[in-house]
Amino acid sequence: MMIWVWDIPVLFVLGIIVARLHAKWLVVKHPDFFVHTGTIIIAVFWLNALVSALGAHPWLGHVHALRPISRWLALFLVLSYPMWFHFGAERTFALLGRRPTQGGFLWPFSVKDRTKPFQSPWKR
């Protein structure tokens, strides 16, 4: 089975990007955006792995840096894709906040406060 060397780093970066979009702009109107987008991204990567396991070229033959890997190791690697995506997202949520009203760990070090003011639920 052929695995693209950059699958895990790409999933990590996609987790960061999706988490940032979700936390700062989409969490209020689309609270399930992160879950649905993550599911679609993981499904695309799993379908690519399935195509590779069936003998075709991964990513439709458009990428290079493919490495042959044993089927058992590839199975565990492919099953870990959601964890890598979630790992990147959780690092982003911790550093930058999970909602527009949160600043995350980097908030005390920011010069300008970019978080939205917090409004308690009983005063809405």
Side-chain angles (χ1 to χ4, degrees), residues 2-8 10 45 58-59 63-67:
M2 301 292 281
I3 295 288
W4 189 37
V5 175
W6 295 100
D7 273 352
I8 290 177
V10 167
F45 276 81
W59 299 113
V63 298
H64 302 288
L66 297 171
R67 297 291 178 251

Side-chain angles (χ1 to χ4, degrees), residues 19-100:
R20 183 69 175 156
L21 287 173
H22 174 71
K24 293 302 172 189
W25 296 289
L26 298 170
V27 71
V28 177
K29 292 189 180 193
H30 307 287
D32 295 333
F33 171 79
F34 178 72
V35 175
H36 295 307
T37 307
T39 304
I40 291 168
I41 289 171
I42 296 301
V44 167
F45 276 81
W46 276 351
L47 285 173
N48 177 56
L50 181 64
V51 165
S52 174
L54 294 175
H57 292 290
W59 299 113
L60 303 174
H62 294 295
V63 298
H64 302 288
L66 297 171
R67 297 291 178 251
I69 191 169
S70 72
R71 290 196 185 267
W72 286 105
L73 186 59
L75 174 71
F76 290 110
L77 181 71
V78 169
L79 289 177
S80 73
Y81 284 175
M83 291 182 262
W84 287 107
F85 179 82
H86 191 69
F87 181 70
E90 284 300 318
R91 300 298 73 83
T92 303
F93 286 146
L95 287 175
L96 303 173
R98 195 171 285 273
R99 300 186 62 80

